[in-house]
Amino acid sequence: MDQSLTDAGAPQSSENPSSGAKPSATSGTLTLEVTGMHCGGCVRRAETALSEMPGTTAARVNLATRRAEIDHDGSLTPDMAAARLAEAGYPASETTLVLEIDGATCGSCAARIEGALRAVPGVEEAGFNLANSTARARVLTGAVTPEALIRAVEAAGYGAQEALSGASAAEQAEARQAAEAQGLKRDTLIAGALSLPVVVLAMGGHVFPAFHHWVAMNIGMTVSNVVQFLLTTLVLAWPGARFFRMGLPTLRHLAPDMNALVVLGTSAAWAFSTVATFAPALLPEGAAHVYFEAAAVIVTLILAGRWMEARARGQASAAIRRLAGLQVREALLQAPDGTLSSVPVSALEPGDLIALRPGDRLPVDGVVTEGSSDIDESMVTGEPIPATRRPGDPVIGGTVNGAGALVMRATATGGDTMLSRIMQAVDEAQGAKLPVQNLVDRVAQVFVPAVILAALVTFAAWLAFGGGFGNAVVASVSVLVVACPCAMGLAVPVSIMVGTGRASELGVLFRRGDALQKLRDVRVVAFDKTGTLTLGKPALSGVMAEGDEDAALALLAALESRSEHPIAHAIVSAAQERGLDLPEVEEVKAISGEGLAGRSEGSELRIGNRDFLTVPLPRALAEQAAEWEGTGATVLYAQRDAQVLAVLAVSDVIREEAPRIIAALKAQGLRPAMVTGDSEAAARHVGAALGIEMIRAGVKPMDKAAAVEDLRTEGGPVAFAGDGINDAPALAAADVGVAMGSGTDIAMEAAEVVLVGGDLRGVPTALELSRRTMANIRQNLFWAFAYNVALIPVAAGLLTLWDGPLLSPMLASAAMAASSVLVVTNALRLRRVQQALQ
């Protein structure tokens, strides 16, 4: 078979891996996956569109496999073929490939890796997250393989491997982070042990002048310098080798990164000191000083900073590991004959019966078939109160069974379980790139070359103004070392990682990370009514009887117990909640469009709409019924024999927490709104009860998007919360869609944010997390930029103009290391955010 693009996906030139231009494909066969085809006519049209492209020698499209193979002369790229397929109405399928990256340490690394990935033919978009060292590439399915992306990253000077998914990915990430932290710890201790004698020999005399004389008399300054040379060389060649291993290739490609700054700074200090030790005559008179301690301590302090940073980043990514820890390895499979056997969870399939003992963690999603128990769902939904689950109730994998024994039927296994989908969504959200990151990336891309230029200018300025060769070296080395693109590169992604991870623990799932930034700008929060502001199921909201209310309710509930209608369930449930005993009923029959009729204890019973009554309605009952109907409630009329028995109101009950949530939103300066397909009366009643003034009632599903646009015009950016299929257009049209996790899959797919447990308190929680995360990002960016703006001139010697000190390279390296640690530590404060309205 001819060589395909998947075998030639690396950039053609490694000299400029960050270039955004995509090279031409090599001659051969290009493979794409095609969507939208339904018949042989679709195949012919797709083949014709591809065959007519310049450079195409043959095109074959297979309906069964949905694959297109295009033979070409080398001038065709996947993007060109995809564009032609889109014009023909058959878009090429896209998928996302994820890589684990090794060796990236700063914002300029991120820009180079993204540039290398985007240069691969067939890559539509690429992003790199410095906080968790993962790169994501949106690619044309079939045109790009992980191997092609790995080759491109390696050509840019970094290591890469394909990332796993689910628990395996979490374990892989944890192992990688642990190994990184352990390696940095080892190198830090080695560098510290080797640097300590150097520091003592070089600086001891400044602290204790007698020590300098002791060294001069007993060892000799030349021997002292040689010992410092040997130990410093060992520091640079052993624990410091990682900086040269990663920094030199970037210098060779004229795309220097943070490692390159360390290499240049330490090498300059080491080289100058080496010349001063072994060939002092080559230096200007009086300039033969040694700065071995600066080179050794720079490496030690930067290693120490990266060690602390690695440990902090491990804490930042703990959310995925905690979610992975909820996954169960084995389950008790119940056979049809009732026998139990322990099987791997990976072997379970939908429909399998699983036995759960008290305290067991549920292995997969399912439905309870036997038993009753309280399930602790806090680890998935954020709701601290255990939920009682009985036969027919859904249960979530990863939650913990209480004191009861249960049998459940699996409904979702493997990657289809809610826990797996949550892990995937959290992982994708943590790898997202906010719009604010684009500015940071542009700055980071030119930052390191600008720092090198600043160091050269500093060196030249000190010589030009008579500052001395030694001071020129110290100042330029300090400029190289004090600059910190690491803090810039980490400022945004580490906050996203911690913020979205904490959100998942509180039952708020950000399916797309950019929703964090969008939510901050929201000014209108619109809600669907049924199932969002209300419970979404009818409940008895009022009873007025001619006589004993409980006796009337018990009689009518007995009659309705023979019906499967949701309103009948509401009446029966109300009687059960009151602890009423239901009498026997007989001869029950349903009259279509009117109601139910039957007999009890010799009396004839009827319940239904008003037309079903055969006797006049008393005035008091009529007035009450009219009042209920004015609120949008469904009113039922009941009679016994020739007398009216009672009138009942059934309505959708407002969620208990809804009034507090609306009040909280108003207190934050936001405008609550309601968009519903329900009647004007029902909407106005709920709106009045909650204090919602912006109401759009009687809105058809396809008109909900227009209603959202209307709200946006009136009040500003809109977040819309809903739960049903009919809410999907509004969720997609809103600036931020918030889906109730208890709703439909279609609604959740259309939303950027999902409230996993269906808890409406997640709306203010998500808004609070958005504000706190964006504020955290602003703090990090301010520190990262202000730090460099302030300290680079200080390192260059600005303070000496006012008789101030010249910044030591050792202090510069300590400040640089501390800046990254400070950014990550600041982001970790987001882990303390609590659920709103507890």
Side-chain angles (χ1 to χ4, degrees):
M1 182 175 177
D2 293 335
Q3 184 184 24
S4 72
L5 277 186
T6 59
D7 296 322
Q12 298 298 302
S13 172
S14 62
E15 291 304 309
N16 188 14
S18 61
S19 171
K22 295 191 178 185
S24 300
T26 54
S27 177
T29 299
L30 189 158
T31 302
L32 294 175
E33 187 172 299
V34 185
T35 65
M37 298 189 303
H38 306 288
C39 62
C42 297
V43 171
R44 286 193 298 274
R45 282 189 289 275
E47 285 183 342
T48 300
L50 293 171
S51 299
E52 292 175 349
M53 295 185 68
T56 300
T57 56
R60 301 172 297 280
V61 179
N62 188 306
L63 180 62
T65 62
R66 311 273 181 190
R67 295 179 74 84
E69 294 183 347
I70 309 106
D71 297 334
H72 58 94
D73 61 5
S75 61
L76 187 65
T77 67
D79 294 331
M80 296 164 59
R84 180 57 63 91
L85 284 169
E87 290 174 4
Y90 308 104
S93 173
E94 295 180 350
T95 189
T96 299
L97 299 178
V98 185
L99 301 180
E100 300 283 351
I101 307 297
D102 295 323
T105 57
C106 63
S108 54
C109 297
R112 234 178 347 271
I113 290 167
E114 290 172 359
L117 290 172
R118 292 191 187 110
V120 177
V123 173
E124 300 297 289
E125 186 52 62
F128 173 70
N129 188 317
L130 181 61
N132 59 12
S133 300
T134 58
R136 294 176 179 275
R138 180 165 54 85
V139 305
L140 295 171
T141 307
V144 182
T145 64
E147 290 74 21
L149 299 181
I150 290 171
R151 287 196 297 271
V153 173
E154 290 175 342
Y158 303 92
Q161 60 180 332
E162 186 176 4
L164 302 177
S165 61
S168 298
E171 291 168 358
Q172 181 190 61
E174 184 173 11
R176 185 185 71 251
Q177 288 169 347
E180 179 187 9
Q182 187 62 32
L184 285 166
K185 176 183 178 181
R186 181 193 63 241
D187 287 351
T188 300
L189 295 177
I190 293 172
L194 293 173
S195 300
L196 182 59
V198 178
V199 173
V200 171
L201 288 172
M203 308 301 293
H206 295 282
V207 179
F208 302 106
F211 179 77
H212 174 77
H213 297 296
W214 184 88
V215 170
M217 296 295 297
N218 294 278
I219 299 176
M221 299 309 300
T222 300
V223 173
S224 173
N225 290 346
V226 170
V227 171
Q228 293 179 52
F229 162 78
L230 293 174
L231 291 174
T232 301
T233 303
L234 198 54
V235 168
L236 298 181
W238 186 2
R242 63 172 66 225
F243 300 113
F244 290 83
R245 191 166 55 248
M246 293 183 283
L248 289 177
T250 65
L251 286 170
R252 188 169 61 250
H253 294 153
L254 300 180
D257 65 353
M258 178 62 212
N259 296 294
L261 294 182
V262 177
V263 167
L264 291 175
T266 55
S267 296
W270 178 87
F272 178 83
S273 301
T274 300
V275 172
T277 299
F278 297 105
L282 297 178
L283 298 176
E285 186 177 351
H289 303 291
V290 296
Y291 301 98
F292 287 120
E293 81 286 352
V297 174
I298 285 170
V299 169
T300 302
L301 290 176
I302 294 177
L303 284 172
R306 290 193 180 178
W307 173 27
M308 290 184 285
E309 178 189 317
R311 291 181 61 191
R313 280 162 53 186
Q315 297 176 45
S317 60
I320 287 288
R321 296 200 301 276
R322 280 195 289 270
L323 288 171
L326 301 181
Q327 294 187 316
V328 182
R329 304 295 183 184
E330 293 189 341
L332 280 177
L333 181 66
Q334 180 172 301
D337 61 2
T339 59
L340 301 177
S341 58
S342 182
V343 299
V345 169
S346 58
L348 293 177
E349 296 180 356
D352 285 344
L353 291 178
I354 303 162
L356 297 170
R357 297 164 298 195
D360 278 355
R361 192 177 292 278
L362 277 63
V364 293
D365 296 353
V367 175
V368 175
T369 59
E370 296 179 28
S372 175
S373 184
D374 291 335
I375 306 289
D376 181 1
E377 299 180 344
S378 60
M379 61 287 298
V380 175
T381 67
E383 175 55 54
I385 301 174
T388 301
R389 297 293 182 238
R390 301 182 179 90
D393 290 339
V395 288
I396 305 170
T399 58
V400 178
N401 184 28
L406 297 176
V407 176
M408 62 175 282
R409 183 178 69 254
T411 57
T413 60
D416 295 328
T417 65
M418 179 180 288
L419 183 58
S420 295
R421 296 200 305 270
I422 289 174
M423 290 175 61
Q424 180 181 358
V426 172
D427 188 40
E428 290 176 358
Q430 289 187 337
K433 178 170 286 190
L434 302 192
V436 70
Q437 180 74 45
N438 295 329
L439 170 64
V440 181
D441 288 347
R442 289 196 295 271
V443 172
Q445 198 161 11
V446 299
F447 179 79
V448 175
V451 169
I452 294 174
L453 178 61
L456 294 174
V457 170
T458 298
F459 183 82
W462 273 91
L463 290 182
F465 291 101
F469 193 83
N471 285 336
V473 170
V474 170
S476 57
V477 168
S478 294
V479 168
L480 289 171
V481 173
V482 82
C484 190
C486 302
M488 279 190 251
L490 287 168
V492 177
V494 76
S495 294
I496 296 174
M497 177 181 291
V498 180
T500 54
R502 180 56 181 159
S504 71
E505 296 170 356
L506 296 176
V508 178
L509 182 61
F510 284 90
R511 295 184 64 248
R512 287 187 277 278
D514 59 356
L516 273 170
Q517 186 165 344
K518 291 180 182 177
L519 263 180
R520 179 200 58 179
D521 301 325
V522 161
R523 292 295 172 265
V524 178
V525 182
F527 298 87
D528 171 51
K529 181 180 79 69
T530 306
T532 304
L533 291 173
T534 65
L535 294 177
K537 57 183 179 180
L540 186 67
S541 55
V543 180
M544 187 173 183
E546 289 282 272
D548 189 313
E549 183 179 297
D550 283 351
L553 180 58
L555 198 59
L556 296 173
L559 184 63
E560 293 284 13
S561 66
R562 302 297 184 88
S563 171
E564 293 299 321
H565 195 281
I567 290 179
H569 284 281
I571 295 172
V572 173
S573 295
Q576 291 174 341
E577 289 174 4
R578 295 191 185 192
L580 304 179
D581 294 325
L582 307 187
E584 293 293 328
V585 292
E586 56 189 8
E587 300 179 22
V588 178
K589 57 181 177 180
I591 290 81
S592 179
E594 293 189 341
L596 282 177
R599 298 182 65 82
S600 177
E601 299 176 351
S603 297
E604 181 182 347
L605 299 174
R606 298 167 73 89
I607 182 170
N609 57 35
R610 187 161 187 170
D611 293 337
F612 199 33
L613 290 179
T614 61
V615 293
L617 184 66
R619 181 176 178 179
L621 295 183
E623 290 176 350
Q624 181 62 74
E627 181 182 333
W628 283 336
E629 287 176 342
T631 67
T634 300
V635 180
L636 302 174
Y637 302 83
Q639 76 177 67
R640 178 170 54 187
D641 295 328
Q643 280 189 318
V644 173
L645 179 61
V647 289
L648 303 89
V650 175
S651 57
D652 194 0
V653 179
I654 296 174
R655 289 179 181 266
E656 181 182 354
E657 68 272 18
R660 292 190 299 140
I661 288 166
I662 298 302
L665 294 176
K666 285 185 172 181
Q668 295 171 8
L670 300 173
R671 301 181 65 184
M674 183 195 306
V675 179
T676 177
D678 211 341
S679 67
E680 186 79 23
R684 291 294 172 188
H685 172 69
V686 173
L690 297 176
I692 298 177
E693 299 170 358
M694 299 174 70
I695 296 176
R696 305 293 187 273
V699 181
K700 296 179 180 179
M702 295 315 297
D703 295 333
K704 283 194 172 184
V708 168
E709 183 58 40
D710 181 46
L711 292 173
R712 183 184 291 115
T713 301
E714 182 178 342
V718 178
F720 181 86
D723 74 321
I725 294 174
N726 61 331
D727 295 322
L731 289 166
D735 295 276
V736 181
V738 182
M740 308 294 286
S742 54
T744 64
D745 288 342
I746 292 176
M748 286 187 273
E749 284 300 317
E752 287 95 345
V753 182
V754 176
L755 309 183
V756 178
D759 189 341
L760 203 58
R761 290 176 299 173
V763 173
T765 299
L767 288 164
E768 176 67 10
L769 274 163
S770 170
R771 284 191 292 270
R772 294 279 291 274
T773 302
M774 293 309 300
N776 194 272
I777 287 173
R778 288 195 300 273
Q779 293 161 6
N780 283 346
L781 288 176
F782 173 80
W783 168 256
F785 285 104
Y787 163 87
N788 284 291
V789 169
L791 286 191
I792 289 179
V794 171
L798 182 65
L799 296 181
T800 60
L801 297 178
W802 296 276
D803 297 324
L806 180 62
L807 186 66
S808 162
M810 290 188 292
L811 293 178
S813 61
M816 188 279 293
S819 65
S820 294
V821 175
L822 180 62
V823 163
V824 178
T825 304
N826 184 51
L828 288 175
R829 295 189 305 115
L830 292 171
R831 296 170 67 184
R832 299 200 294 266
V833 176
Q834 299 298 316
Q835 187 181 59
L837 305 175
Q838 290 187 349

